Amino acid sequence: MHTRTLAELGDALAAGEMSSEELTRHFLTRIEALDPRLNAFITVTGEAALEAARAADRERAAGRAGPLTGLPIAHKDIFCTDGFRTSCGSRMLDNFISPYDATVVRRLKSAGMVMLGKTNMDEFAMGSSNETSFYGPVRNPWDLDKVPGGSSGGSAAAVAARLTPAATGTDTGGSIRQPAALTGTTGLKPTYGRVSRYGMIAFASSLDQAGTITASACDAALLLEAMAGHDPRDSTSVDAPVERYADGLDRSLEGFRVGVVEEFFDEGLYPASAAAIETALDVLRSLGASVKRVSLPNLALSVPAYYVVAPAECSSNLSRFDGIRFGYRAENPRDLADLYKRSRGEGFGAEVKRRIMTGTYVLSAGYYDAYYLKAQRVRQLIAEDFRAAFAEVDLIAGPTAPTPAFDIGAKTDDPVTMYLNDIYTIGVNLAGLPGVSVPCGFADDLPVGLQLIANHFEEGRLLNVAHMFQQETEWHLRMPGGEFA
Ligand code: GLN
């Protein structure tokens, strides 16, 4: 039953083919048997899941079931969950139990979904390979020596191996789309402001956005409909009506204009990945879309701009972890300063410290104008590049990541090489746009992702194109073999 999509499982529940309790038990059994190989989960909430499943079955029996009632989901461990640990992949929050649910968690819960557990992630969502987690690296089910991408690597690996039919993720610079690409799953990052950030532990607040990792675009549409919408608790959440995304999936692509970004096809793109993207563009053509070249001339500046803006915001956001109010506290402090220093020194890992130091530096008097202000200006240029492109085309397409999954440990000593993984995804966050990665082939027997980018709040169109692509191809249905089959 795990080979089915969320939508198919929903139909099976509605048809009475199985109960939510049976379905939930099936996935919990898979997690127990297979997660030791992957390390995709930090916490499994088995008992509570079964209880929620039984409650969903009762709702269904009473005729009150919606499209998501009784379907299992896993949440990235960055979303606060009432009563269950929310670690954010960090020693700092290893003991933190939130007293409330994040809005995303609350909405999916009220839609009747059953939480299986919390997924592993890079510490505070900082990383592209899931190797910075306090709980150890996550492995890619397509090849256990490879990374699954990051920072939502636990969610991506868990969906790829079907330890859960769907999972939430967050994307600040690519953390949904890049791991989706590396694991052969569908990863949707909505427009900034479309989904509430309330209760989602902040990394870089002007870039962070919640989204989904699923087996299909149709599943992403179902989830987005339940997650999206205005939340008075997040001042950046937008008060615009939520479309019925699932209803628009089958629209024809006849006459649709797709722009391919010239700068995406640079020397950094792995040739076999490029070949898979070219084939995917042919599929879009065969569906009636026209494909033309567009240019984002400032794209090369997106990584340096992001690695100023994101650390700056993180240095401010993470100042709240001081050993007093939340999480880890150093033992036997000599005085208050020693308590602060050692709690932060011992609670945070190396990558988080690197970001906090960079961020503090670029915000400091004398350097602010040279770095932070300059980066904000570059951000504007990048947003304008996208605006100009969207004057000519309806959608932008290209690769999600420069290479397929790489070896665990291959890039951990070289932060700059690691940061370059995000070259195709970061511009989208800087401009606040929605993007999706869909599986489009293989390179060296590892999945390749096609990235589609739409204009602000055009998630409906984005999912429509992704869905039509998936009607024509079957890459998204491929699953890792062996023990995960
Ligand atoms: N890889 C990027 C970083 O390390 C993006 C992370 C993210 O999107 N959360 O910052």
Short mmCIF file of all heavy atoms in Angstrom, two decimals, residues 125-149:
data_model
loop_
_atom_site.label_atom_id
_atom_site.label_comp_id
_atom_site.label_asym_id
_atom_site.label_seq_id
_atom_site.Cartn_x
_atom_site.Cartn_y
_atom_site.Cartn_z
N ALA A 125 18.10 24.15 9.94
CA ALA A 125 17.85 24.23 8.49
C ALA A 125 19.01 24.82 7.71
O ALA A 125 18.85 25.33 6.61
CB ALA A 125 16.55 24.97 8.18
N MET A 126 20.23 24.76 8.30
CA MET A 126 21.40 25.32 7.62
C MET A 126 22.22 24.19 7.02
O MET A 126 22.96 23.50 7.73
CB MET A 126 22.24 26.12 8.61
CG MET A 126 21.47 27.31 9.17
SD MET A 126 22.34 28.08 10.51
CE MET A 126 21.01 29.04 11.23
N GLY A 127 22.07 24.00 5.73
CA GLY A 127 22.83 22.97 5.06
C GLY A 127 22.15 22.52 3.79
O GLY A 127 21.00 22.86 3.53
N SER A 128 22.88 21.75 2.99
CA SER A 128 22.36 21.27 1.71
C SER A 128 22.55 19.77 1.59
O SER A 128 22.43 19.21 0.50
CB SER A 128 23.12 21.94 0.55
OG SER A 128 23.10 23.33 0.71
N SER A 129 22.85 19.10 2.70
CA SER A 129 23.16 17.67 2.60
C SER A 129 22.68 16.87 3.81
O SER A 129 22.89 15.66 3.85
CB SER A 129 24.66 17.49 2.46
OG SER A 129 25.30 17.96 3.64
N ASN A 130 22.08 17.53 4.77
CA ASN A 130 21.63 16.88 6.00
C ASN A 130 22.76 16.27 6.81
O ASN A 130 22.56 15.33 7.57
CB ASN A 130 20.58 15.79 5.71
CG ASN A 130 19.43 15.90 6.69
OD1 ASN A 130 19.64 15.73 7.89
ND2 ASN A 130 18.27 16.25 6.22
N GLU A 131 23.94 16.84 6.67
CA GLU A 131 25.07 16.34 7.45
C GLU A 131 25.34 17.19 8.70
O GLU A 131 26.22 16.84 9.49
CB GLU A 131 26.32 16.30 6.58
CG GLU A 131 26.20 15.26 5.48
CD GLU A 131 27.32 15.39 4.46
OE1 GLU A 131 27.28 16.36 3.67
OE2 GLU A 131 28.22 14.56 4.46
N THR A 132 24.63 18.32 8.86
CA THR A 132 24.91 19.16 10.03
C THR A 132 23.98 18.85 11.20
O THR A 132 24.04 19.51 12.23
CB THR A 132 24.83 20.68 9.70
OG1 THR A 132 23.45 21.05 9.51
CG2 THR A 132 25.61 21.03 8.45
N SER A 133 23.12 17.84 11.05
CA SER A 133 22.19 17.50 12.13
C SER A 133 22.93 16.97 13.35
O SER A 133 23.86 16.17 13.23
CB SER A 133 21.21 16.43 11.64
OG SER A 133 20.46 15.93 12.73
N PHE A 134 22.47 17.38 14.53
CA PHE A 134 22.99 16.82 15.79
C PHE A 134 22.71 15.32 15.86
O PHE A 134 23.41 14.58 16.54
CB PHE A 134 22.31 17.56 16.96
CG PHE A 134 22.63 17.00 18.32
CD1 PHE A 134 23.94 16.95 18.79
CD2 PHE A 134 21.61 16.53 19.15
CE1 PHE A 134 24.24 16.45 20.05
CE2 PHE A 134 21.90 16.01 20.42
CZ PHE A 134 23.22 15.97 20.87
N TYR A 135 21.70 14.87 15.15
CA TYR A 135 21.28 13.46 15.20
C TYR A 135 21.94 12.61 14.12
O TYR A 135 21.50 11.48 13.87
CB TYR A 135 19.75 13.37 15.13
CG TYR A 135 19.12 14.17 16.26
CD1 TYR A 135 18.75 15.49 16.06
CD2 TYR A 135 18.98 13.62 17.52
CE1 TYR A 135 18.24 16.26 17.11
CE2 TYR A 135 18.47 14.38 18.57
CZ TYR A 135 18.11 15.70 18.36
OH TYR A 135 17.63 16.45 19.40
N GLY A 136 22.95 13.15 13.46
CA GLY A 136 23.67 12.39 12.46
C GLY A 136 23.07 12.55 11.08
O GLY A 136 21.94 13.01 10.92
N PRO A 137 23.86 12.17 10.05
CA PRO A 137 23.41 12.37 8.68
C PRO A 137 22.24 11.46 8.31
O PRO A 137 22.07 10.39 8.89
CB PRO A 137 24.63 12.01 7.84
CG PRO A 137 25.47 11.14 8.71
CD PRO A 137 25.21 11.58 10.12
N VAL A 138 21.45 11.91 7.34
CA VAL A 138 20.40 11.08 6.75
C VAL A 138 21.00 10.44 5.50
O VAL A 138 21.82 11.07 4.82
CB VAL A 138 19.17 11.93 6.38
CG1 VAL A 138 18.11 11.10 5.68
CG2 VAL A 138 18.59 12.60 7.62
N ARG A 139 20.60 9.21 5.21
CA ARG A 139 21.11 8.55 4.01
C ARG A 139 20.06 8.57 2.90
O ARG A 139 18.86 8.58 3.18
CB ARG A 139 21.50 7.11 4.35
CG ARG A 139 22.70 7.08 5.24
CD ARG A 139 23.09 5.72 5.74
NE ARG A 139 24.22 5.89 6.64
CZ ARG A 139 25.49 5.95 6.23
NH1 ARG A 139 25.78 5.80 4.95
NH2 ARG A 139 26.46 6.13 7.10
N ASN A 140 20.54 8.55 1.68
CA ASN A 140 19.66 8.59 0.52
C ASN A 140 19.23 7.16 0.16
O ASN A 140 20.09 6.30 -0.08
CB ASN A 140 20.41 9.22 -0.66
CG ASN A 140 19.50 9.54 -1.83
OD1 ASN A 140 18.58 8.78 -2.14
ND2 ASN A 140 19.76 10.66 -2.47
N PRO A 141 17.92 6.86 0.15
CA PRO A 141 17.50 5.48 -0.11
C PRO A 141 17.90 4.95 -1.49
O PRO A 141 17.91 3.74 -1.72
CB PRO A 141 15.98 5.53 0.04
CG PRO A 141 15.60 6.95 -0.08
CD PRO A 141 16.78 7.76 0.39
N TRP A 142 18.25 5.86 -2.42
CA TRP A 142 18.69 5.40 -3.74
C TRP A 142 20.11 4.87 -3.70
O TRP A 142 20.53 4.10 -4.57
CB TRP A 142 18.59 6.55 -4.77
CG TRP A 142 17.18 6.91 -5.08
CD1 TRP A 142 16.43 7.89 -4.49
CD2 TRP A 142 16.32 6.28 -6.03
NE1 TRP A 142 15.17 7.91 -5.03
CE2 TRP A 142 15.09 6.95 -5.98
CE3 TRP A 142 16.49 5.23 -6.94
CZ2 TRP A 142 14.01 6.58 -6.79
CZ3 TRP A 142 15.43 4.87 -7.75
CH2 TRP A 142 14.21 5.54 -7.67
N ASP A 143 20.88 5.32 -2.72
CA ASP A 143 22.26 4.86 -2.53
C ASP A 143 22.66 5.31 -1.13
O ASP A 143 22.81 6.51 -0.89
CB ASP A 143 23.19 5.47 -3.59
CG ASP A 143 24.64 5.04 -3.39
OD1 ASP A 143 24.99 4.58 -2.29
OD2 ASP A 143 25.42 5.18 -4.36
N LEU A 144 22.81 4.35 -0.24
CA LEU A 144 22.99 4.69 1.18
C LEU A 144 24.31 5.40 1.47
O LEU A 144 24.47 5.95 2.56
CB LEU A 144 22.85 3.43 2.04
CG LEU A 144 21.44 2.78 2.01
CD1 LEU A 144 21.45 1.45 2.78
CD2 LEU A 144 20.39 3.73 2.57
N ASP A 145 25.23 5.44 0.51
CA ASP A 145 26.47 6.20 0.73
C ASP A 145 26.32 7.65 0.32
O ASP A 145 27.25 8.44 0.47
CB ASP A 145 27.62 5.58 -0.08
CG ASP A 145 27.96 4.19 0.43
OD1 ASP A 145 27.81 3.97 1.66
OD2 ASP A 145 28.36 3.33 -0.39
N LYS A 146 25.15 8.00 -0.23
CA LYS A 146 24.96 9.37 -0.72
C LYS A 146 24.09 10.18 0.23
O LYS A 146 23.27 9.62 0.96
CB LYS A 146 24.26 9.36 -2.09
CG LYS A 146 24.91 8.47 -3.13
CD LYS A 146 26.06 9.15 -3.81
CE LYS A 146 26.63 8.23 -4.90
NZ LYS A 146 27.96 8.65 -5.33
N VAL A 147 24.23 11.50 0.14
CA VAL A 147 23.37 12.39 0.93
C VAL A 147 21.99 12.46 0.26
O VAL A 147 21.87 12.23 -0.94
CB VAL A 147 23.96 13.81 1.03
CG1 VAL A 147 25.36 13.78 1.64
CG2 VAL A 147 23.98 14.52 -0.34
N PRO A 148 20.96 12.81 1.04
CA PRO A 148 19.63 13.00 0.45
C PRO A 148 19.39 14.47 0.07
O PRO A 148 18.29 14.82 -0.35
CB PRO A 148 18.70 12.61 1.60
CG PRO A 148 19.45 13.05 2.82
CD PRO A 148 20.93 12.90 2.50
N GLY A 149 20.41 15.32 0.24
CA GLY A 149 20.18 16.76 0.12
C GLY A 149 19.69 17.32 1.45
O GLY A 149 19.44 16.57 2.39
#
